[in-house]
Amino acid sequence: MPKSKTLTLEAPWVEIESTQKDWDEAEPELLKTMLAQLHIIRAFEETALEFASQKLVNGPLHSSIGQEGGAVGSIINLTAQDQINGSHRGHHQFLAKTLGFVSPNGIDPNSDFSPEIRTLLKRTLAEICGLAEGFCGGRGGSMHLQWKESGSLGTNAIVGGAVPFAAGFAWSNKHAKTDAVSVTYFGDGAINIGSVLETFNLAAAWKLPICFFIENNQYAVSTTAEESTGEPRLSARGPGFKIASWRVDGMDPLAVYLAMEQALAHMRAGKGPTLIEADVYRYFHQNGPFPGSAFGYRDKAEEAAWKERDPITMLETQLIRRKLMSAAEVSKLKVRSQAVMTDISDELLEENPDQVGTKRFKSNLWPDPQLIDAGIRGDLSEFDEIKYKEAQDFHGKTVSKKFINVVADVMLRRMETDDSIVVMGEDIHKLNGGPRGATKGLKQAFPDRVLGTPISEAAFTGLAGGLALDGRYRPVAELMYADFIWVAADQIFNQISKARHMFGGKHDMPLVIRIKIGTNTGYGSQHSMDPAGIMNTSPGLRIAAPSTPLDYIGMMNSALLCNDPVVMLEHDSDLYKISGEVPESDMDFYIPIGTAAIKRTGAAVTILTYLSMVHKSLEAVEISGVDAEVIDLRWLDAASIDWNCIGESIRKTNNVLIVEQGSRSTSYGGWLSDEIQRRYFDWLDSPVQRVSGSESAPSVSFVLESAALADTAKVVEALVTNYRSEKGVS
Amino acid sequence: MAHLLRMPGVSADAEEVIFLEWSVSPGTTIADGDSIALVETEKANLDIISDQAAVLWRSLIDPGAVVKIGEPIAILIGLDEKISDEAALLKSLGLTGAVSAAPATSTPPSAPLVTEVKSTFATNNGNGERIFSSPIARKLAKENNIAVENIVGTGPNQRIVRADVERSILSSPSNSEVKATQNGSAVTKTNTYTDIPHSGMRRAVARALSASKQQAPHFYLNTTCRVDALLALRKSINEDGSVKVSINDFIFKAVVKALVDVPEMNVIWMDDCVRRFDSVDVAVAIGSTRGLVTPVIRSAENLSLTQISNQIQDFAKRANEGNLKQTEIEGGSFCVSNLGMYGVESFSAILNPPQVGILAVGAAINEPVVVAGAVEIANTIKMTLSVDHRPVDGVMAAQWLQRFKTLIENPALILA
């Protein structure tokens, strides 16, 4: 029989209950402010539900009624520097944080509410209703509430989607040597999703001051925790990651406050992340004004039992018992809270003449539909003072350098001049510059700004997104292979690229994602994607695709100055190995975003291409004898593509050949072709032709991989087949 | 049953014809096999023959119009059919709204019924079939006031591409502010020049010979044949009185015989092979009043000198009338072109595709020749053989020319 030894987890895991003594000793102002916040939030939520029942809210409204105790108890002790984000059910957290921000000295429950509070409530309700006055101009609504200045950095409609960002806020707080923390709120449904668990691990590994606050409201829509997991005590997740964890009754705001007090002490002392599970209960269904029992997944008796323990009632009872407030004062507070919401409703609504007895929003409150696309990305005003340079400006003063060395050199140079740049990715800190040498020398020079990550693309990409949203640091995240964008897909496509526009189009998202393309390396179907086409489906991302070392320097410098997320496409086998002329001494020049480069002038056809296919297209032109104009697109996204250059060329040649290396299925050229036929239809003399790889993803076998990818021969074939008889054939 | 009569395909490479005249007028009953109309292709004039008995109810085309293959030209109805609702009939045939109805038995409508179906820059040839043209081609055509229907496309699917429009601009009279007309018959006169629009035949000659000169690598062999014996033989034959043969008839017959004797020259170049013929089909170039035509005498190896002579005379007559059949002007492996009657001593001819050779025959002249060390005066003709180098090498062509020269200088062999 083998010997057994019982192992124990090192992180503490405790349950906190408030005692009578705690209630007796609690600061009166704390309890009174808590009650004021609870009443305000409850009245707000009742008004919002009323709006929803009158069909005044477009989309779902996830009520937090019944759960306010957890939010108020955990947030009331946060400072303005502490940051929160949350989930789809986040009104109460948003209001608790912003109420604390506008009333840092507490709220007197016996006085009229301040104008700041009224404005806050009105702007929040306006946002939920999709009105221009809302914090995000009506774009965010109920599920995407953000007021950056208050430290409320955004609720989120993707379950678990906000959690990695909060790790980014925490990293910024830690690196800035503040004791500020971030708190990320999510529910029992999100506890089982990958991004949350990845972030647990990353935060623990890097000892980030982040609190994972689980509002366990017992139901993920209608599914119980017991159905979803083998360990329904959700705070048990923490210790496995070595995260100090608490369980607390969320219906007891003081107990939550006390648990958070311990968690804050832990985090502010630099001991790393914490986890708090607060048991709460949403009185209503997932969304809308009906109780869950109406949908049959729970019964009225259960709902009645939880309502017995309502946090407002509990707090009122204690305040009256301690004679801090009278019963009359308490009822007045409730009436005043409801009255302020009635006032606000009246300011927003008018009688609906089309349907007697109903209300509608005053028409001047809606956002301007003309501005639907405003603020998807920045205006590039950060480049106002920049003097640009191109290859020809360095004539005679260049040296030959390998592409891969330039990748590391320019980042080293920028990190020297810009303390805000933070580089992260898998293995980038070891192996003498990562697997290919792209980060060579960075770790030695800047050990605390070069972060070797666990293999958790969702967590570290999202952490980078959090850095960008926070704004103090400029992250550069490396995805080792392009195909890993799917692993990090929610963070890249739902979070990073949408964040600016969705939250109102005002705040920057400065971030660079370096993506290595693995075609021609024999890594097979899951490592050989050219992601340009996929990245371009996501407005908000800018896409850079440099084909020469010199362009890489100038374009990376621009990417690192740009206040939008920039995807830098890099080609391992085709480009890292090549050498090219770069300036002898200048690593500080910029190549303008939105400019293509004409690599060869010609009359017969315009070849539009990028990355290594630029070189292969030039080769193909010489072999075919077709007098093609070759344009290196350089910037690929819909906002940055150089239509001036492309248009001028098409008006000259009247023919277009789009050349890409990768699979046809995920390709970029479809979009480009579509744009071209609409923009230049009257200038075309033949259909837009395309060279791309196979329908299938590239395979491992050498011959199959070669067959799957476009190469010089395929470009020659396309040129000869389509343009041999055109003018300019030699 | 009323139905549309569409312009039938008349030859493999003709996409349109010039409509010359109606053989019958509206209201006329047509029998199976009757000619309905006469049209001109680039190379010949053709009758449109009815394959059924019917009544020509309505003509849709005016004489002089250029008509695309497949385009409706008339409405035919059954022998006993009565049309009560004309509008419904036109609608059922897809001619709605385009009608300035002229009833049967009246004079043909002054304007074709389908005119309004075709817009000036239509992408549709009037009977629903799309004319393929690239966007830039349409834009250019519009800017230059050229109807794309009148341009022959050289792109994929016969798509009209930019280059086609540019060629059309260069060759159209639009520069002198006259719109290109559908039948191409307008002559544009300005102060400084006169533009004569291309006839179908002019276009055909230009196209065929441009292609030949570009695609077939020509080489040329020259020789001088002494024709004293030939002239003597001709004289004796013609003195007989029953037939008259020309020098050219002898030369043609000698060409035929040389091709029989050197069958390696009786070939043409194909994309995948060299085709050698069992019979000898030789064309004769005729400068008719309507332009150059090259009708082919088939199986000429079986014909006598007189038969050949008669055939050539018949060709010449019908060429001037525009009455050569399409089948008569296609094919052949060789051609004889003679400008001797104009005093031309020698010239080089361009091959007439798909033929392998063309013999350019000069005038018979007197010149001094050296025979057995002594100078004497002889009748000679200078011959220039143009050869397509793709199927035939120089030595083979030289052997053929040598054989031909032998035949000419020993004319009894020609008749043997």
Side-chain angles (χ1 to χ4, degrees):
Chain A
M1 185 167 161
K3 268 168 58 174
S4 303
K5 182 176 152 193
T6 300
L7 301 174
T8 52
L9 296 166
E10 292 174 36
W13 179 30
V14 295
E15 182 156 357
I16 297 276
E17 282 178 34
S18 63
T19 61
Q20 195 56 55
K21 188 158 175 285
D22 294 323
W23 281 105
D24 290 344
E25 289 175 358
E27 290 289 335
E29 296 313 313
L30 172 71
L31 298 182
K32 286 202 264 184
T33 297
M34 270 187 181
L35 186 68
Q37 287 195 359
L38 285 170
H39 268 297
I40 290 170
I41 294 170
R42 178 68 57 90
F44 181 96
E45 288 290 72
E46 285 170 351
T47 302
L49 266 188
E50 179 61 24
F51 274 42
S53 70
Q54 291 177 35
K55 303 287 178 198
L56 289 165
V57 178
N58 192 30
L61 185 116
H62 303 95
S63 163
S64 68
I65 292 177
Q67 304 186 198
E68 304 94 328
V72 168
S74 61
I75 291 174
I76 201 159
N77 210 17
L78 297 184
T79 70
Q81 285 67 48
D82 297 323
Q83 297 146 315
I84 69 161
N85 66 6
S87 69
H88 57 289
R89 193 180 315 286
H91 302 170
H92 54 323
Q93 299 138 9
F94 179 81
L95 287 173
K97 184 72 168 80
T98 52
L99 283 168
F101 180 70
V102 299
S103 305
N105 300 317
I107 301 171
D108 179 356
N110 296 320
S111 303
D112 283 342
F113 301 128
S114 69
E116 288 80 13
I117 290 176
R118 294 176 71 100
T119 304
L120 163 67
L121 295 174
K122 188 179 177 191
R123 290 189 67 193
T124 308
L125 187 61
E127 184 57 45
I128 288 168
C129 296
L131 304 177
E133 205 180 336
F135 280 99
C136 307
R139 285 179 180 172
S142 164
M143 298 188 287
H144 319 94
L145 290 167
Q146 186 201 63
W147 185 15
K148 233 187 126 183
E149 293 73 17
S150 76
S152 188
L153 295 190
T155 59
N156 207 293
I158 299 293
V159 169
V163 174
F165 267 48
F169 313 151
W171 191 93
S172 298
N173 291 329
K174 182 179 185 183
H175 189 76
K177 303 209 176 351
T178 72
D179 70 350
V181 305
S182 67
V183 186
T184 182
Y185 290 88
F186 53 94
D188 46 294
I191 191 69
N192 300 315
I193 207 165
S195 59
V196 171
L197 298 163
E198 282 189 25
T199 308
F200 283 1
N201 181 64
L202 185 60
W206 292 357
K207 281 199 162 50
L208 301 180
I210 177 174
C211 175
F212 299 100
F213 196 100
I214 308 165
E215 282 190 353
N216 182 354
N217 70 7
Q218 321 302 319
Y219 295 92
V221 189
S222 66
T223 305
T224 63
E226 285 74 13
E227 291 176 278
S228 304
T229 175
E231 174 53 281
R233 299 173 303 170
L234 305 183
S235 49
R237 300 285 198 280
F241 291 96
K242 208 174 174 182
I243 296 173
S245 301
W246 287 261
R247 185 174 190 193
V248 66
D249 176 11
M251 306 304 276
D252 177 347
L254 183 63
V256 176
Y257 173 85
L258 295 170
M260 192 61 166
E261 199 172 40
Q262 295 183 11
L264 284 172
H266 182 92
M267 293 186 286
R268 298 206 201 280
K271 293 179 182 172
T274 58
L275 181 152
I276 297 175
E277 177 195 5
D279 273 315
V280 292
Y281 200 74
R282 65 168 147 78
Y283 295 174
F284 293 90
H285 177 52
Q286 165 76 356
N287 58 67
F290 300 98
S293 55
F295 297 85
Y297 57 86
R298 64 195 197 192
D299 56 37
K300 289 180 179 171
E302 179 186 302
E303 288 171 353
W306 278 92
K307 284 183 183 175
E308 283 289 302
R309 305 204 296 112
D310 187 85
I312 295 180
T313 314
M314 179 186 290
L315 197 51
E316 283 175 353
T317 307
Q318 294 288 354
L319 279 161
I320 293 167
R321 183 186 63 79
R322 281 185 61 187
K323 300 192 177 7
L324 297 172
M325 285 181 79
S326 69
E329 285 172 333
V330 162
S331 354
K332 275 188 194 165
L333 171 62
K334 181 176 181 179
V335 169
R336 213 167 39 250
S337 300
Q338 289 168 339
V340 75
M341 292 311 302
T342 305
D343 288 351
I344 290 169
S345 301
D346 290 347
E347 288 170 30
L348 298 177
L349 295 172
E350 61 184 15
E351 291 298 326
N352 182 359
D354 298 335
Q355 215 176 340
V356 178
T358 64
K359 305 266 190 176
R360 67 177 186 189
F361 292 111
K362 294 173 182 171
S363 59
N364 63 334
L365 299 179
W366 291 108
D368 181 359
Q370 300 290 321
L371 300 177
I372 180 67
D373 288 336
I376 291 175
R377 49 191 83 76
D379 59 5
L380 299 180
S381 57
E382 60 271 32
F383 288 88
D384 282 352
E385 305 297 317
I386 294 297
K387 297 269 183 289
Y388 295 110
K389 286 183 185 170
E390 292 280 358
Q392 59 268 25
D393 299 322
F394 299 101
H395 188 66
K397 286 176 287 184
T398 59
V399 291
S400 179
K401 266 196 187 178
K402 269 184 86 174
F403 200 116
I404 186 64
N405 294 337
V406 159
V407 173
D409 289 352
V410 67
M411 190 60 67
L412 194 65
R413 173 64 184 151
R414 287 282 69 77
M415 291 183 81
E416 282 168 11
T417 62
D418 183 349
D419 288 341
S420 74
I421 295 173
V422 182
V423 179
M424 65 192 76
E426 291 151 3
D427 290 310
I428 63 157
H429 59 315
K430 291 190 177 172
L431 305 174
N432 195 19
R436 293 292 183 276
T439 50
K440 197 172 186 173
L442 304 187
K443 184 68 179 175
Q444 291 74 13
F446 307 102
D448 59 343
R449 291 197 280 142
V450 178
L451 314 175
T453 66
I455 301 173
S456 308
E457 280 83 5
F460 77 75
T461 308
L463 182 139
L467 259 63
L469 177 55
D470 173 276
R472 282 173 284 179
Y473 298 99
R474 187 177 286 273
V476 179
E478 175 184 309
L479 288 181
M480 193 182 282
Y481 286 92
D483 306 68
F484 302 171
I485 62 169
W486 300 128
V487 184
D490 178 51
Q491 295 305 313
I492 295 173
F493 300 111
N494 272 324
Q495 308 298 339
I496 290 169
S497 71
K498 291 177 184 169
R500 182 187 169 105
H501 179 264
M502 179 174 77
F503 288 127
K506 299 289 194 298
H507 67 70
D508 295 330
M509 281 296 288
L511 165 130
V512 173
I513 306 178
R514 290 183 43 237
I515 296 184
K516 193 173 72 187
I517 295 173
T519 49
N520 274 328
T521 56
Y523 266 73
S525 307
Q526 296 171 328
H527 285 66
S528 302
M529 182 173 68
D530 171 352
I534 303 300
M535 304 315 289
N536 193 44
T537 61
S538 219
L541 299 177
R542 295 187 187 270
I543 307 169
S547 67
T548 69
L550 187 143
D551 278 0
Y552 187 92
I553 296 171
M555 291 170 74
M556 180 54 96
N557 282 333
S558 291
L560 288 171
L561 182 67
C562 182
N563 285 333
D564 295 323
V566 179
V567 173
M568 179 67 70
L569 300 183
E570 303 178 10
H571 203 301
D572 183 355
S573 77
D574 288 4
L575 290 181
Y576 275 175
K577 298 187 193 81
I578 69 164
S579 292
E581 293 296 310
V582 299
E584 262 172 10
S585 51
D586 188 352
M587 290 292 271
D588 301 327
F589 65 96
Y590 296 84
I591 286 178
I593 289 177
T595 58
I598 298 173
K599 294 290 186 176
R600 180 190 190 281
T601 55
V605 53
T606 299
I607 295 181
L608 301 177
T609 187
Y610 57 93
L611 290 175
S612 61
M613 294 314 284
V614 172
H615 307 289
K616 291 177 188 181
S617 295
L618 287 167
E619 214 171 76
V621 168
E622 296 316 314
I623 294 169
S624 71
V626 173
D627 183 25
E629 182 142 310
V630 179
I631 294 181
D632 180 355
L633 293 170
R634 300 204 296 197
W635 302 93
L636 304 182
D637 60 280
S640 313
I641 192 161
D642 189 349
W643 288 121
N644 290 338
C645 175
I646 294 169
E648 197 177 322
S649 182
I650 292 175
R651 282 188 283 271
K652 178 174 67 171
T653 66
N654 310 123
N655 293 297
V656 181
L657 177 66
I658 299 171
V659 175
E660 305 173 78
Q661 181 178 52
S663 174
R664 172 70 62 117
S665 314
T666 48
S667 69
Y668 170 76
W671 170 83
L672 189 56
S673 165
D674 165 61
E675 284 288 332
I676 287 169
Q677 62 87 11
R678 276 183 289 104
R679 287 168 184 261
Y680 306 111
F681 183 76
D682 281 330
W683 294 97
L684 292 175
D685 205 17
S686 65
V688 175
Q689 299 288 351
R690 293 174 56 193
V691 172
S692 64
S694 58
E695 181 187 0
S696 57
S699 303
V700 166
S701 160
F702 178 76
V703 294
L704 295 179
E705 181 179 49
S706 300
L709 299 173
D711 56 10
T712 304
K714 285 174 184 158
V715 183
V716 171
E717 187 189 342
L719 285 171
V720 169
T721 307
N722 295 300
Y723 311 107
R724 198 55 178 266
S725 62
E726 294 294 331
K727 63 200 164 189
V729 174
S730 58
Chain B
M1 181 64 197
H3 63 280
L4 289 174
L5 174 67
R6 293 179 185 278
M7 185 64 215
V10 292
S11 73
D13 55 352
E15 291 166 8
E16 59 188 28
V17 300
I18 296 170
F19 200 91
L20 294 180
E21 61 188 43
W22 287 102
S23 311
V24 292
S25 55
T28 310
T29 300
I30 311 154
D32 185 359
D34 278 1
S35 169
I36 300 172
L38 190 64
V39 300
E40 180 188 333
T41 70
E42 289 171 337
K43 296 173 181 170
N45 290 347
L46 302 157
D47 280 317
I48 304 301
I49 304 297
S50 177
D51 59 359
Q52 60 187 310
V55 172
L56 178 71
W57 185 67
R58 186 73 53 90
S59 59
L60 301 175
I61 298 292
D62 273 353
V66 174
V67 181
K68 295 265 183 205
I69 304 307
E71 192 174 328
I73 58 173
I75 300 169
L76 301 183
I77 59 174
L79 292 178
D80 302 318
E81 195 171 348
K82 295 277 176 280
I83 304 303
S84 51
D85 187 344
E86 294 187 10
L89 171 63
L90 293 170
K91 187 179 178 188
S92 73
L93 296 172
L95 299 173
T96 327
V99 183
S100 56
T105 73
S106 76
T107 52
S110 59
L113 289 180
V114 291
T115 321
E116 292 172 45
V117 174
K118 301 166 69 174
S119 74
T120 313
F121 306 109
T123 51
N124 172 312
N125 65 6
N127 62 341
E129 287 171 19
R130 195 174 164 77
I131 296 172
F132 297 119
S133 54
S134 78
I136 187 70
R138 287 198 291 285
K139 182 171 184 281
L140 265 181
K142 190 173 183 180
E143 286 168 0
N144 287 279
N145 239 342
I146 295 172
V148 288
E149 299 93 315
N150 295 343
I151 302 172
V152 176
T154 62
N157 293 328
Q158 282 77 52
R159 185 190 304 133
I160 299 162
V161 295
R162 180 181 189 151
D164 300 325
V165 183
E166 287 171 343
R167 271 195 294 278
S168 180
I169 291 167
L170 288 177
S171 64
S172 83
S174 62
N175 291 335
S176 51
E177 298 178 2
V178 172
K179 279 189 181 182
T181 56
Q182 282 204 333
N183 60 19
S185 61
V187 175
T188 308
K189 183 92 179 100
T190 72
N191 290 336
T192 52
Y193 57 84
T194 303
D195 283 346
I196 300 129
H198 300 318
S199 64
M201 192 172 275
R202 190 74 253 143
R203 281 188 201 279
V205 169
R207 187 179 305 165
L209 296 185
S210 297
S212 169
K213 196 71 175 173
Q214 283 162 11
Q215 290 164 12
H218 291 51
F219 68 92
Y220 307 93
L221 303 179
N222 301 309
T223 191
T224 302
C225 298
R226 186 165 182 174
V227 292
D228 295 302
L230 190 144
L231 290 174
L233 180 59
R234 172 180 175 245
K235 192 178 174 200
S236 68
I237 292 175
N238 284 351
E239 276 172 354
D240 181 47
S242 60
V243 289
K244 296 275 185 196
V245 294
S246 66
I247 298 174
N248 198 57
D249 296 335
F250 276 99
I251 291 171
F252 193 95
K253 177 75 177 165
V255 165
V256 171
K257 190 151 181 58
L259 286 169
V260 173
D261 294 345
V262 186
E264 292 84 354
M265 270 292 281
N266 188 22
V267 297
I268 59 168
W269 175 259
M270 309 283 286
D271 280 346
D272 303 318
C273 60
V274 172
R275 176 172 294 171
R276 185 186 294 180
F277 293 101
D278 297 331
S279 67
V280 179
D281 297 352
V282 177
V284 56
I286 298 174
S288 79
T289 53
R290 307 167 68 91
L292 173 68
V293 285
T294 54
V296 179
I297 298 180
R298 314 275 167 190
S299 300
E301 75 277 17
N302 298 327
L303 301 182
S304 70
L305 183 66
T306 315
Q307 285 171 312
I308 284 171
S309 178
N310 290 341
Q311 180 72 71
I312 291 175
Q313 283 175 38
D314 176 56
F315 278 154
K317 176 169 172 286
R318 288 196 286 123
N320 285 329
E321 297 165 354
N323 278 336
L324 290 172
K325 294 196 185 79
Q326 183 69 31
T327 51
E328 290 174 322
I329 55 178
E330 290 175 342
S333 65
F334 202 93
C335 187
V336 177
S337 179
N338 190 337
L339 293 178
M341 56 289 255
Y342 300 104
V344 172
E345 289 191 14
S346 80
F347 67 103
S348 303
I350 296 172
L351 289 164
N352 187 32
Q355 298 155 1
V356 72
I358 182 166
L359 189 71
V361 182
I365 54 171
N366 285 321
E367 64 176 3
V369 297
V370 177
V371 179
V375 174
E376 54 184 80
I377 300 299
N379 281 293
T380 61
I381 296 180
K382 291 194 163 53
M383 309 276 189
T384 305
L385 174 64
S386 306
V387 184
D388 182 351
H389 211 320
R390 290 173 299 178
V392 173
D393 292 334
V395 169
M396 185 55 61
Q399 287 172 2
W400 182 90
L401 191 58
Q402 185 179 38
R403 178 63 187 156
F404 170 78
K405 182 179 165 84
T406 302
L407 290 169
I408 289 293
E409 294 184 347
N410 303 281
L413 294 175
I414 299 174
L415 303 177

